[in-house]
Amino acid sequence: MTAKGNPPVTFAIGACETQNVNVTVLPCFGLSEGSIPTAKEMWNIMVKDGQFARENFNSGPSMPSSSGETLCAAVSASAWVEPHGKCTIAFGLAWSSPKVKFLKGSSYHRRYTKFYGTSELAAKYLVHDALKNYKRWEEEIEQWQNPILNDDRLPEWYKFSLFNELYFLVAGGTVWIDSSSSNANVRNNQQQSTEADRGDKAVCRLTTANSCYSTAANFGLEGHGKEQYTFNNNDEDVGRFLYLEGVEYMMWCTYDVHFYASFALLELFPKIELSIQRDFAKAVLSEDGRKVKFLAEGNWGIRKVRGAVPHDLGTHDPWSEMNAYNIHDTSKWKDLNPKFVLQVYRDFAATGDMSFGVDVWPSVRAAMEYMEQFDRDNDGLIENDGFPDQTYDTWTVHGVSAYCGCLWLAALQAAAAMALQLGDKDFAEWCKTKYLKAKPVFEEKLWNGSYFNYDSGSSSNSRSIQADQLAGQWYTASSGLPSLFDDFKVQSSLQKIYDFNVMKVKGGRMGAVNGMHPNGKVDETCMQSREIWTGVTYAVAATMILSGMEDQAFTTAEGIFTAGWSEEGYGYWFQTPEGWTIDGHFRSLIYMRPLSIWGMQWALSMPKAILEAPKINLV
């Protein structure tokens, strides 16, 4: 049993018996002197006989422990080995906790119960299957990894980092539930707000109202090869998936960070990625009117505004109570909605999944239309509001910003492309008109001849070189869309970032610092401007690869390996933090964003569906 009434967990240990390996068990022993037998007696048996009694297999279940008592079990495997001979003995460990329960009471069955049932005793079947199948699993892992491991063009540190950063998908706090469990919980949960219910119904209404897009989309399938649909299997239920922003920031599926990490899911578990996007699409059209106090400004607002992409899916009651983040009012953030549109279009383009595109299209439209309120001078371009209204949530932005403005331009382009492919020509024209109006304004206000200024304000850091200034261009290039800017501007900006944000920090051996003044001094405006963000560094490197700057890309990303993983670094093995400073102080260990290294792999081996997608003309 576990503490505070949480669901129980069962462990199972086993060993694989073969012609040469004899397995015996001791179902129960204790650690205290009063136990029968004790741990000391267990070891004495092993020293004397090298095995336990065979009749223990038939001893039946042992008595459960009493409160405060610790009971143990042991499995022994023994074999005769000839001089200079070899013998492999396989042990297995499994555990089963079929139900996950959140603090506010909602509980769900984990995904594996779909295959193993809901009993805690499934652990013995799990350990059995592991021992029977582990060799095949290892072979399949090697088959998956070998094309990358054997690619002589790739540096060894990169291969090492690429696969090891995937630790986060398990160790970062992951909940994968069965969909039927989710549906049952929704039916039984009486705590859902009426606002959220209205949002659910709105999804149904809008999907029905936009069925014309489904008809139009069918015509869009003509002329595309079947290879575009390798990801697509709408009949397969993949459940619902949550992963934490980090072990110190305990919010599920934090979306501004998922923007960076999602490349790993799209490349390796694309159906899970689409499932997450569907959850956010549904959330866009919902509203939760409960009042929340925002800590930074001290004002009050509602928890979830209709049309705004939520910051996260919640903490204590995910899916039902979103936006656990309460430092700022994220309904006024400028990056979340464009990031939703960009991720949806990238996933749509990569998978060729028309049903996904049709299902989420009403939310894409709503997310774009919501952003109109932030274009206050009607120039087609959104403005920031003089507070940290984006993922850099301590770094204040004034007026037009390189980061959010670039994301907005890219979102306009992606929404127009998606609208055309789904047959919504009017909305495509709306996006195209805004894009053509906004792009020259963006360049006029921010381009300084060698890079895009941090923002159009007059603060001391308005001309800072932001490492992440081309985030929108990264997604544009990753999705097969036309470049936002001419090649000179893109490459000049990236070269500036490389020369200043990367190479002027310990000779490029720490990654890319977020902000750098044009005089070569780190931007000390706030905590985040002076930090090196691991995931952002990988994203910048991916953008460099997509712009034909592979040498600079690998040098940039190698700084994260050197500081985080190498023997001369800070020892952050399997706990890569959000970021660190030049003197090596870290913040937020075991963080989601470094999964963006898979954005580099995406750039190096672009899916065929992206490369062969129909080109969209926005000129």
Side-chain angles (χ1 to χ4, degrees), residues 181-345:
S181 165
S182 171
N183 293 336
N185 185 76
V186 170
R187 285 195 299 271
N188 296 329
N189 188 347
Q190 301 301 313
Q191 304 303 315
Q192 301 240 15
S193 69
T194 56
E195 289 83 4
D197 289 338
R198 284 201 295 271
D200 293 346
K201 292 171 186 173
V203 175
C204 298
R205 285 199 304 273
L206 282 165
T207 303
T208 304
N210 285 278
S211 60
C212 56
Y213 300 139
S214 177
T215 305
N218 291 333
F219 296 103
L221 297 176
E222 295 176 6
H224 297 305
K226 290 184 179 179
E227 63 273 7
Q228 283 206 66
Y229 302 94
T230 53
F231 287 139
N232 186 21
N233 185 351
N234 297 319
D235 296 329
E236 183 174 333
D237 171 24
V238 297
R240 301 177 85 180
F241 187 86
L242 299 169
Y243 66 145
L244 290 174
E245 177 178 341
V247 297
E248 296 177 37
Y249 300 144
M250 296 185 67
M251 293 166 282
W252 298 108
C253 294
T254 297
Y255 202 73
D256 54 309
V257 185
H258 181 67
F259 176 77
Y260 297 84
S262 59
F263 280 91
L265 285 170
L266 179 59
E267 289 184 74
L268 303 175
F269 306 101
K271 293 166 188 170
I272 289 178
E273 164 64 6
L274 295 188
S275 172
I276 293 173
Q277 300 294 36
R278 288 179 186 273
D279 281 337
F280 276 92
K282 183 177 180 180
V284 168
L285 298 174
S286 70
E287 184 162 295
D288 184 342
R290 287 172 289 182
K291 296 291 185 180
V292 175
K293 185 175 183 178
F294 302 112
L295 302 180
E297 292 81 21
N299 60 324
W300 290 77
I302 69 172
R303 177 177 287 277
K304 167 65 180 71
V305 176
R306 179 181 169 84
V309 173
H311 171 274
D312 55 78
L313 291 178
T315 294
H316 301 314
D317 195 8
W319 298 299
S320 298
E321 186 180 274
M322 292 169 285
N323 279 337
Y325 179 95
N326 64 347
I327 299 175
H328 303 287
D329 183 354
T330 59
S331 69
K332 297 177 181 175
W333 276 19
K334 311 307 184 295
D335 63 337
L336 288 167
N337 283 39
K339 284 176 174 176
F340 170 72
V341 174
L342 288 170
Q343 287 182 80
V344 163
Y345 180 74

Side-chain angles (χ1 to χ4, degrees), residues 537-570:
T537 299
Y538 289 141
V540 171
T543 313
M544 290 174 173
I545 292 170
L546 291 162
S547 302
M549 300 170 64
E550 282 195 23
D551 290 345
Q552 294 94 324
F554 283 117
T555 300
T556 296
E558 187 176 4
I560 302 303
F561 167 79
T562 301
W565 291 89
S566 76
E567 292 183 5
E568 62 186 275
Y570 299 110

Side-chain angles (χ1 to χ4, degrees), residues 228 259 263 266 338-351 410-411 413-415 417-418 421 471-483 546 599 602-603 606-616:
Q228 283 206 66
F259 176 77
F263 280 91
L266 179 59
K339 284 176 174 176
F340 170 72
V341 174
L342 288 170
Q343 287 182 80
V344 163
Y345 180 74
R346 177 205 57 191
D347 298 350
F348 173 67
T351 62
Q413 194 181 65
M418 191 169 180
Q421 292 176 61
Q473 172 63 25
W474 172 36
Y475 259 72
T476 291
S478 296
S479 304
L481 292 167
S483 179
L546 291 162
W602 183 271
M606 199 80 79
K608 192 175 182 181
I610 295 287
L611 294 173
E612 296 183 356
K615 300 306 175 187
I616 306 298

Side-chain angles (χ1 to χ4, degrees), residues 422-433:
L422 293 178
D424 191 348
K425 295 180 180 178
D426 289 343
F427 195 73
E429 194 60 34
W430 183 86
C431 292
K432 178 179 176 180
T433 300

Side-chain angles (χ1 to χ4, degrees), residues 75 96 132 140 155 214 229 246 296 369 373 448 458 554:
V75 171
S96 175
K132 293 283 285 184
E140 290 177 351
S214 177
Y229 302 94
E369 290 164 351
Q373 63 184 297
N448 62 23
S458 55
F554 283 117

Side-chain angles (χ1 to χ4, degrees), residues 20 119 193-194 231 234 295 360 397 409 455 465 517 523 532 595 599:
N20 189 39
S119 168
S193 69
T194 56
F231 287 139
N234 297 319
L295 302 180
V360 301
V397 202
L409 290 178
D455 65 27
I465 308 160
H517 289 295
D523 185 343
I532 295 157
L595 284 171

